Amino acid sequence: MMNDNAFNGTFQNLSQKNMPFEQVFLNILQFMEKDPIGNFKLMFGTDSQVYSRETKFITGIVIQQERKGVWACFRKVILPRKMENLHERISYETTLTEEVVSLFTEDKKEQLIQIVLPNIYKGASLSIEGHIDIGSGERNKTRIFVKEMISRMNSIGLKAKIKPDSFVASCYANRFTK
């Protein structure tokens, strides 16, 4: 689907560059294992920015422990064309989020669950969310795509979030598209 120039298969954050997915997953495991009695949210989201000759897409992965902090990273995909059609761009953002989510195989999700499971009766939890950079407000141009994109997130087992609750897409990923 993507050529080598568009995506090199690695993730990064402010302190680590060129992380393969296995390193990302290890960082998430270590973050959760530090304090397994917590409410964790594993969140995914993509944002894009259209430039004159290309469109830049950033997909974020954020693991949050409520009131205890976060660990996050992102991957960058650059398409060498100006993607002006709004539905195409929102759909592609959702596709890129789905691709990253698919890296979390059943085995990997099970490893995350096994960290939380022994602590469920102590209040531990894990939820997985897909953040979509769209809104349902009357003045929002993306409102006509809300049902379609929410259905796509739900179909892969994610709790879908839209603006103003989709901060991984609309805030975290957005800051790296500039």
Side-chain angles (χ1 to χ4, degrees), residues 4-16:
D4 289 338
N5 295 332
F7 172 60
N8 69 6
T10 63
F11 295 81
Q12 66 186 66
N13 60 22
L14 296 176
S15 60
Q16 295 173 284

Side-chain angles (χ1 to χ4, degrees), residues 99-113:
E99 283 182 1
V100 170
V101 169
S102 75
L103 299 172
F104 287 80
T105 60
E106 289 306 312
D107 177 58
K108 289 195 177 347
K109 286 188 256 184
E110 185 61 30
Q111 289 179 59
L112 299 177
I113 290 167

Side-chain angles (χ1 to χ4, degrees), residues 1-131:
M1 178 187 242
M2 290 176 272
N3 64 35
D4 289 338
N5 295 332
F7 172 60
N8 69 6
T10 63
F11 295 81
Q12 66 186 66
N13 60 22
L14 296 176
S15 60
Q16 295 173 284
K17 305 280 185 246
N18 298 316
M19 283 184 281
F21 176 72
E22 288 305 321
Q23 181 62 49
V24 169
F25 187 71
L26 186 60
N27 283 320
I28 291 169
L29 282 175
Q30 291 170 344
F31 178 85
M32 292 178 68
E33 288 169 342
K34 269 193 276 184
D35 185 8
I37 304 174
N39 296 325
F40 294 97
K41 285 184 184 178
L42 180 59
M43 300 168 282
F44 305 89
T46 303
D47 190 32
S48 62
Q49 184 70 44
V50 179
Y51 293 96
S52 59
R53 292 193 172 105
E54 65 187 26
T55 305
K56 184 189 293 187
F57 294 86
I58 299 291
T59 302
I61 302 173
V62 176
I63 181 74
Q64 175 188 35
Q65 184 177 10
E66 224 171 73
R67 294 184 293 280
K68 300 260 180 128
V70 300
W71 183 87
C73 68
F74 64 91
R75 77 172 192 177
K76 181 184 342 183
V77 172
I78 297 176
L79 291 185
R81 69 181 176 91
K82 189 174 181 177
M83 189 182 282
E84 295 183 87
N85 182 290
L86 186 58
H87 183 259
E88 179 188 23
R89 200 166 77 240
I90 297 297
S91 183
Y92 195 63
E93 287 177 6
T94 303
T95 297
L96 292 173
T97 299
E98 291 167 335
E99 283 182 1
V100 170
V101 169
S102 75
L103 299 172
F104 287 80
T105 60
E106 289 306 312
D107 177 58
K108 289 195 177 347
K109 286 188 256 184
E110 185 61 30
Q111 289 179 59
L112 299 177
I113 290 167
Q114 288 306 316
I115 293 170
V116 174
L117 196 58
N119 303 295
I120 292 266
Y121 295 111
K122 297 174 187 168
S125 65
L126 172 65
S127 64
I128 304 176
E129 299 177 354
H131 291 200

Side-chain angles (χ1 to χ4, degrees), residues 125-143:
S125 65
L126 172 65
S127 64
I128 304 176
E129 299 177 354
H131 291 200
I132 314 164
D133 191 30
I134 57 177
S136 60
E138 199 55 41
R139 301 177 80 184
N140 195 314
K141 293 179 200 161
T142 58
R143 72 182 177 282

